[in-house]
């Protein structure tokens, strides 16, 4: 069995090295879809806890809305691991919601299909994308938690990372997450925040969308 494990380890190492070599070759700016309403969606996920003490975050609900706020996807999701903490205070998810929920393996296919090739609006997206095990190009991420233009509009220090609730209250005058989180409500809130500063968004947050970034990055490789 040690020989089999060694051979498996060798093959996995070779695959990883091959993948890395492919990434290194991508030195030019990728082809991106036009940043227009039909190519923009907003995402929010609610997590539940798995493992003995509920420390492992797993997807419990996912909501995706289009540019007008209409729901494209909204479903409770049953994790692969047994749920030990529903985190109801924050997630709004109860045991009954997961009893007949969509299995993770089925949900993830539908979700990735909707997200693929789209600009994704959300708040602190790294958490959502982590439980989805989905890694879109950084240029496609429109993260309201990292947008300096929103902090300026809200009258907050540029160094402060505000919550979605705080930004929504200060900029939109809306009180969200009153009792617990709702992924549809949060996705729509992030969408409205994006619209509030969309004309100033790219110059403030995302250097990947600036041609000068790619020129510098390419030059540094030679």
């Amino acid at each position: 069995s040690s020989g089999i494990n060694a051979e498996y380890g060798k093959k996995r190492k070779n695959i990883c090295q091959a993948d890395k070599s492919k990434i290194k070759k991508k030195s030019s700016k990728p082809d991106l879809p036009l940043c227009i309403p039909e190519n923009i969606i907003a995402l929010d996920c609610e997590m539940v806890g798995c493992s003995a003490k509920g420390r492992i975050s797993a997807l419990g609900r996912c909501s995706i809305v289009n540019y007008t706020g209409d729901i494209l996807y909204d479903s409770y999701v049953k994790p692969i691991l047994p749920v030990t903490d529903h985190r109801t205070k924050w997630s709004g998810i109860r045991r009954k919601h997961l009893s007949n929920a969509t299995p993770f393996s089925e949900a993830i296919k539908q979700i990735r299909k909707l997200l693929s090739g789209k600009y994704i609006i959300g708040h602190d997206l790294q958490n959502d994308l982590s439980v989805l095990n989905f890694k879109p190009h950084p240029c496609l991420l429109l993260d309201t938690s990292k947008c300096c233009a929103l902090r300026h509009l809200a009258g907050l220090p540029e160094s402060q990372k505000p919550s979605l609730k705080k930004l929504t209250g200060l900029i939109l005058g809306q009180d969200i997450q009153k009792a617990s989180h709702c992924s549809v409500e949060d996705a729509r809130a992030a969408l409205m925040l994006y619209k509030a500063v969309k004309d100033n968004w790219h110059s403030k947050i995302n250097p990947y969308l600036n041609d000068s970034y790619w020129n510098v990055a390419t030059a540094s490789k030679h």
Side-chain angles (χ1 to χ4, degrees), residues 18 24 30 63 65 70 77 92 106-107 115 164 192:
K24 290 179 180 178
S63 300
V65 301
D70 296 324
V77 180
E106 179 182 333
L115 298 182
L164 179 63
M192 289 187 289

Side-chain angles (χ1 to χ4, degrees), residues 137-188:
H137 195 283
C139 292
L140 296 173
L141 302 182
L142 303 170
D143 196 328
T144 54
S145 74
K146 298 180 179 179
C147 183
C148 292
L150 284 171
R151 297 175 194 180
H152 294 160
L153 187 59
L156 299 172
E158 192 170 302
S159 59
Q160 182 178 333
K161 184 179 179 180
S163 66
L164 179 63
K165 180 179 177 67
K166 189 168 189 176
L167 283 176
T168 303
L170 291 173
I171 296 175
L172 304 176
Q174 297 182 12
D175 186 16
I176 64 171
Q177 302 170 357
K178 294 180 181 179
S180 59
H181 291 222
C182 168
S183 49
V184 171
E185 179 182 54
D186 289 356
R188 285 173 172 164

Side-chain angles (χ1 to χ4, degrees), residues 11-210:
K11 288 183 179 179
R12 186 173 67 174
K13 182 178 180 181
N14 290 338
I15 292 171
C16 291
Q17 289 177 339
D19 288 342
K20 288 180 180 179
S21 66
K22 290 179 183 178
I23 293 172
K24 290 179 180 178
K25 291 179 181 179
K26 296 181 180 180
S27 58
S28 60
K29 189 173 181 179
D31 292 329
L32 298 173
L34 292 175
C35 193
I36 54 179
E38 49 262 45
N39 290 334
I40 300 174
I41 56 91
L43 163 75
D44 190 75
C45 297
E46 302 298 346
M47 286 67 143
V48 292
C50 299
S51 80
K53 296 184 179 181
R55 292 178 179 175
I56 298 177
S57 292
L59 181 64
R61 183 182 179 185
C62 178
S63 300
I64 301 172
V65 301
N66 64 15
Y67 196 75
T68 58
D70 296 324
I71 296 174
L72 298 178
Y73 184 89
D74 180 36
S75 179
Y76 289 103
V77 180
K78 188 173 184 177
I80 297 173
L81 297 174
V83 176
T84 54
D85 184 357
H86 289 82
R87 302 179 183 176
T88 305
K89 181 179 179 181
W90 299 278
S91 70
I93 298 173
R94 301 180 183 278
R95 183 187 298 273
K96 64 181 181 180
H97 294 138
L98 301 184
S99 59
N100 294 309
T102 306
F104 178 81
S105 59
E106 179 182 333
I108 203 66
K109 293 178 182 177
Q110 300 174 40
I111 294 167
R112 288 176 179 172
K113 185 176 181 180
L114 288 169
L115 298 182
S116 182
K118 300 292 186 182
Y119 287 90
I120 305 172
I121 299 171
H123 193 82
D124 220 358
L125 279 168
Q126 62 182 2
N127 296 323
D128 298 326
L129 297 175
S130 177
V131 295
L132 294 174
N133 194 24
F134 184 72
K135 296 181 180 180
H137 195 283
C139 292
L140 296 173
L141 302 182
L142 303 170
D143 196 328
T144 54
S145 74
K146 298 180 179 179
C147 183
C148 292
L150 284 171
R151 297 175 194 180
H152 294 160
L153 187 59
L156 299 172
E158 192 170 302
S159 59
Q160 182 178 333
K161 184 179 179 180
S163 66
L164 179 63
K165 180 179 177 67
K166 189 168 189 176
L167 283 176
T168 303
L170 291 173
I171 296 175
L172 304 176
Q174 297 182 12
D175 186 16
I176 64 171
Q177 302 170 357
K178 294 180 181 179
S180 59
H181 291 222
C182 168
S183 49
V184 171
E185 179 182 54
D186 289 356
R188 285 173 172 164
L191 172 65
M192 289 187 289
L193 288 172
Y194 168 78
K195 289 182 177 181
V197 295
K198 63 183 178 65
D199 293 335
N200 298 317
W201 183 280
H202 297 309
S203 62
K204 291 288 185 181
I205 181 176
N206 203 333
Y208 298 105
L209 295 178
N210 189 325

